[in-house]
Amino acid sequence: MITFTKVSKSYTPNSAALDDVTLNIPTGDFVSVVGQSGAGKSTLLKILSAEERPTAGNVVIDGWDITRIKKWQVPHLRRQIGVVFQDFKLLPKRTVFENVAFAMEVGGAIPKEIKNTVPHILKLVNLVNKADEYPTKLSGGEKQRVAIARALAYKPQILLADEPTGNLDALHSWDIVQLLIKINKLGTTVLLATHNDDIVNALKKRVVTLNGGKVVSDQQGGTYKL
Amino acid sequence: MVGISLARIFKAALQNFWRNIWLSVATAAIMVITLLMISFLYFANIFGGQVLHSIQEKVDLSVTFKEDVQEQYIQAVANELETRQDVEKVTVITSDQALESFKSRHTDDPLIEESLGELENNPLPASIFILATEPRFYENIAKQLESDKYTPFIDSVNYEGSSTVIDRLIALIASVKNVGTVITIVFALLAVLIMFNTVRLAIYSFREEIDIMRLVGASRWFIQGPFIIESVIVSLFAVIISTAILYPVLNTIAPHLQRFFFDAQSSPFNIYDYAVTHWARVIGLQVGAAVGLAIISSMIAIRRYLRD
Ligand SMILES: Nc1ncnc2c1ncn2[C@@H]1O[C@H](COP(=O)(O)OP(=O)(O)O)[C@@H](O)[C@H]1O
Ligand SMILES: [Mg+2]
């Protein structure tokens, strides 16, 4: 369970990227966060991964108040939260397998564990046959699937996807969304920030709409409307 | 888990080291010069101290008594001097002892032996030799002996004028130390600067990895460790090279220094032997300096360029 209580965030004194946001996200939920560019979607996700601190309010994940989390606790938080971005953020000098393994190495996994786990994850994202390729040889959709595989490497409870389809064509976008649904069905809470209306409308899941940092609508089976 | 992470940190450090091998070598070179300077200072200090000591041992203050002065009186003066804080040792040479030693020094000289035999009285005066704890004290001790109380009995107070030599030597050692310290500091700063830049470049070339490490929850130590360890590896590498230069050089110059500074001593000080017996101190000093500089410079670079 993730709760935002009256969360505000200002990067500069006279403007609010998030303004008095209150949200409850039960474990296992699939939430699309929509809104125009600059509405505060990324800021909302960044507060969850402690990349940004709220200016006011509280954020609690499974009883853990991360609002004023200590620096040294941040890595612990991040190992429970997978993140995926529009620009993939893969390491070009490492293969698909190594990119996924990298996240496990960071978490202190032993080589045997890595050798056993990575193929499973690659199978989940349907990239087993690309394990030894370098990212430059992959299509955008494949790159994003590698990024998702890496985010899943240490079995996070929450997956944050910030415009994961922003660089992809419709077909590949749909591919990625299907994958997110699959991951959600396996028990992971998914937050998807997007401004792709086709996807949101087809998902028929919960939709939280932001505008100017405020939650303007929050609907189950919602649609994209501004 | 800690073990495997440590292994990965070391592996990453070695990768950094090889990835920037030429930079690593250049950094190590500057570090080697710094370490050699530090070692030079260290040995100059030790050696100067030894030379000073050996010269000080040769200097003394001697008092010659008038011919008919009683032995008891001489002994009393010696005892009096011995109570002084600045006096290390007082040796009494009676006129008999003086004659004995004179004779023994000239046993092969029949002419002298003959002329000695012709003498009725012992012509050699009694004397005492005074060794001060430090050369600068001789003047005061001499003053005491020149006071009115003693003048009727004392023939002369002989103060070997080597004090100027000693003063000059002390001044020389001090200036070698000063110049050496300045040069050492300059090179140490240079080493820090270059190492700082090496780490900065390494951080720059790893910025993508670092971003992703953060993203996936790498601990601070996991991210920063490789950079610190890399600079420690470079500095230990420098210690090996500087030691490999230092010992052969000491071995080569030791006999020359020995001949030049310690003539005719039974066991002259040998700087190479000293370095061999005190190897732990010599290497420890270098490791301490090198690792210290490495950690300082990499920490500064990390604080500036790896802010989280
Ligand atoms: N690091 C930052 N510094 C200053 N302003 C920022 C920063 N990040 C975002 N903002 C501002 O905060 C607002 C919300 O941004 P963001 O959360 O990125 O929106 P979205 O992801 O919906 O496009 C925007 O007005 C943006 O300009
Ligand atoms: Mg955004």
Side-chain angles (χ1 to χ4, degrees):
Chain A
M1 171 80 101
I2 302 166
T3 53
F4 283 77
T5 313
K6 295 181 177 303
V7 173
S8 297
K9 169 71 187 178
S10 301
Y11 291 101
T12 49
N14 299 321
S15 63
L18 284 182
D19 189 358
D20 202 26
V21 171
T22 298
L23 273 181
N24 278 315
I25 301 168
T27 303
D29 215 358
F30 190 118
V31 180
S32 303
V33 181
V34 305
Q36 282 169 336
S37 177
K41 306 179 294 290
S42 295
T43 303
L44 188 82
L45 299 194
K46 280 178 183 167
I47 284 176
L48 274 177
S49 61
E51 265 180 85
E52 297 291 350
R53 301 295 170 100
T55 318
N58 278 299
V59 182
V60 178
I61 300 175
D62 289 332
W64 184 9
D65 188 341
I66 62 153
T67 320
R68 267 162 289 279
I69 186 173
K70 296 269 187 300
K71 242 188 197 170
W72 60 267
Q73 290 175 310
V74 171
H76 297 275
L77 173 69
R78 299 228 173 119
R79 282 179 217 164
Q80 294 176 40
I81 298 178
V83 278
V84 181
F85 299 95
Q86 182 171 356
D87 60 356
F88 321 124
K89 294 195 200 289
L90 300 177
L91 291 171
K93 291 198 191 97
R94 294 182 191 240
T95 65
V96 167
F97 185 100
E98 288 163 351
N99 264 281
V100 178
F102 186 68
M104 294 187 73
E105 287 174 11
V106 165
I110 58 168
K112 196 178 154 204
E113 194 183 342
I114 293 174
K115 233 174 119 190
N116 289 336
T117 311
V118 175
H120 282 297
I121 302 171
L122 290 180
K123 201 171 158 205
L124 182 73
V125 301
N126 200 13
L127 277 176
V128 176
N129 55 341
K130 305 273 182 179
D132 298 324
E133 297 279 10
Y134 287 88
T136 41
K137 290 257 196 90
L138 303 177
S139 73
E142 285 167 333
K143 282 183 196 167
Q144 195 57 288
R145 278 187 278 152
V146 178
I148 292 172
R150 182 183 61 201
L152 296 177
Y154 38 90
K155 305 183 182 71
Q157 301 165 23
I158 302 164
L159 182 67
L160 308 176
D162 192 355
E163 312 267 7
T165 62
N167 280 340
L168 306 179
D169 59 36
L171 200 67
H172 282 117
S173 294
W174 192 238
D175 219 30
I176 293 299
V177 172
Q178 291 301 324
L179 182 55
L180 293 179
I181 293 172
K182 187 163 145 192
I183 290 160
N184 176 244
K185 282 201 176 123
L186 294 170
T188 308
T189 307
V190 176
L191 268 79
L192 166 66
T194 183
H195 58 243
N196 184 323
D197 48 353
D198 291 337
I199 284 174
V200 175
N201 293 336
L203 269 169
K204 299 193 170 49
K205 299 261 185 191
R206 181 178 171 187
V207 177
V208 171
T209 310
L210 290 177
N211 193 0
K214 284 188 192 300
V215 177
V216 292
S217 94
D218 182 354
Q219 288 185 303
Q220 288 295 336
T223 52
Y224 191 97
K225 50 178 188 294
L226 292 171
Chain B
M1 179 177 149
V2 172
I4 192 81
S5 292
L6 213 59
R8 284 185 181 123
I9 288 167
F10 268 95
K11 195 178 148 205
L14 279 171
Q15 273 169 355
N16 291 7
F17 181 82
W18 285 117
R19 195 189 280 204
N20 305 310
I21 183 65
W22 287 111
L23 210 54
S24 305
V25 168
T27 315
I30 280 290
M31 188 62 105
V32 167
I33 296 173
T34 309
L35 292 177
L36 286 174
M37 277 311 301
I38 291 172
S39 305
F40 166 76
L41 259 189
Y42 173 75
F43 284 112
N45 206 9
I46 299 270
F47 192 77
Q50 288 290 335
V51 172
L52 203 59
H53 187 69
S54 83
I55 291 180
Q56 276 171 3
E57 278 196 329
K58 277 187 247 169
V59 177
D60 57 16
L61 181 66
S62 68
V63 181
T64 345
F65 290 88
K66 287 188 175 151
E67 237 173 84
D68 46 2
V69 176
Q70 294 281 308
E71 236 170 73
Q72 285 98 318
Y73 178 77
I74 294 170
Q75 195 56 54
V77 173
N79 290 345
E80 214 174 307
L81 285 169
E82 241 165 9
T83 58
R84 284 180 68 112
Q85 288 271 312
D86 48 8
V87 170
E88 170 124 11
K89 206 170 103 193
V90 179
T91 318
V92 177
I93 310 281
T94 61
S95 48
D96 291 346
Q97 281 169 338
L99 185 64
E100 276 309 306
S101 98
F102 185 80
K103 275 184 182 162
S104 68
R105 257 182 291 157
H106 300 281
T107 42
D108 329 322
D109 198 332
L111 200 73
I112 289 177
E113 249 182 305
E114 204 173 305
S115 53
L116 277 176
E118 280 166 20
L119 287 169
E120 278 177 34
N121 289 338
N122 179 356
L124 293 175
S127 54
I128 55 183
F129 289 83
I130 299 141
L131 186 68
T133 47
E134 270 183 56
R136 61 197 166 93
F137 296 142
Y138 284 117
E139 220 174 290
N140 267 329
I141 302 168
K143 257 190 207 134
Q144 186 190 339
L145 291 165
E146 280 157 0
S147 67
D148 296 344
K149 186 176 147 197
Y150 300 107
T151 31
F153 311 99
I154 288 178
D155 184 47
S156 64
V157 175
N158 314 302
Y159 176 31
E160 300 292 334
S162 350
S163 134
T164 48
V165 174
I166 290 178
D167 287 347
R168 267 185 215 160
L169 189 65
I170 289 173
L172 180 70
I173 292 171
S175 54
V176 166
K177 258 193 234 175
N178 287 342
V179 173
T181 306
V182 170
I183 297 176
T184 305
I185 289 171
V186 168
F187 274 100
L189 287 178
L190 213 60
V192 167
L193 200 74
I194 289 183
M195 205 157 235
F196 166 83
N197 257 295
T198 309
V199 176
R200 188 176 69 110
L201 282 175
I203 289 172
Y204 184 77
S205 71
F206 274 88
R207 64 198 182 286
E208 279 183 313
E209 266 103 334
I210 293 168
D211 268 355
I212 292 165
M213 279 182 178
R214 286 218 178 99
L215 211 72
V216 297
S219 66
R220 207 174 95 152
W221 169 234
F222 197 93
I223 295 173
Q224 302 183 351
F227 299 109
I228 297 171
I229 290 173
E230 183 200 355
S231 59
V232 170
I233 291 173
V234 170
S235 65
L236 291 178
F237 190 59
V239 170
I240 294 173
I241 295 170
S242 98
T243 305
I245 294 171
L246 187 65
Y247 275 81
V249 167
L250 286 177
N251 195 13
T252 312
I253 63 172
H256 301 286
L257 290 176
Q258 214 172 18
R259 216 172 308 132
F260 194 78
F261 287 99
F262 304 96
D263 48 350
Q265 270 192 22
S266 57
S267 58
F269 178 71
N270 183 301
I271 196 80
Y272 178 72
D273 291 344
Y274 178 90
V276 169
T277 43
H278 295 82
W279 64 272
R281 207 182 294 174
V282 173
I283 292 172
L285 175 76
Q286 295 190 69
V287 170
V291 171
L293 290 176
I295 289 179
I296 289 170
S297 35
S298 51
M299 291 294 250
I300 297 172
I302 284 169
R303 296 205 120 227
R304 283 204 57 178
Y305 300 102
L306 256 184
R307 269 259 166 256
D308 34 18

